[in-house]
Amino acid sequence: MTDTTAPANNALMRFLTQGGAEVHVTGSGRYGAEDHHWMCLGCNETDNGIGRWDWDARQQANGHAAACRAMPKPTTA
């Protein structure tokens, strides 16, 4: 997940930060696949590329969204 300006095509879940930016959880959606990741599209914080179980990525993404105050990045016209 490298594009921080648009939703990922494989986003399984999205969470809103306190400032309104999105945190996306991506991966295969398969139980136990350990290929799930999250990234904040506001502050760019991520799980650093370590594959996570789907519930682990969800829990971390939701926790980040609850604490992060990042707003959505401005778009250029």
Side-chain angles (χ1 to χ4, degrees):
M1 195 167 40
T2 57
D3 184 2
T4 60
T5 61
N9 290 334
N10 60 342
L12 299 173
M13 294 168 250
R14 297 180 297 162
F15 299 93
L16 281 177
T17 66
Q18 296 293 315
E22 293 185 359
V23 180
H24 289 191
V25 174
T26 60
S28 66
R30 293 189 321 261
Y31 176 79
E34 293 196 35
D35 64 349
H36 301 88
H37 305 282
W38 66 269
M39 181 177 193
C40 179
L41 302 186
C43 74
N44 292 339
E45 187 168 333
T46 183
D47 64 9
N48 295 318
I50 299 170
R52 303 280 188 207
W53 295 78
D54 57 347
W55 66 81
D56 191 21
R58 179 183 65 236
Q59 184 177 28
Q60 288 183 32
N62 193 27
H64 176 80
C68 183
R69 296 188 179 276
M71 295 173 58
K73 290 187 170 118
T75 57
T76 56

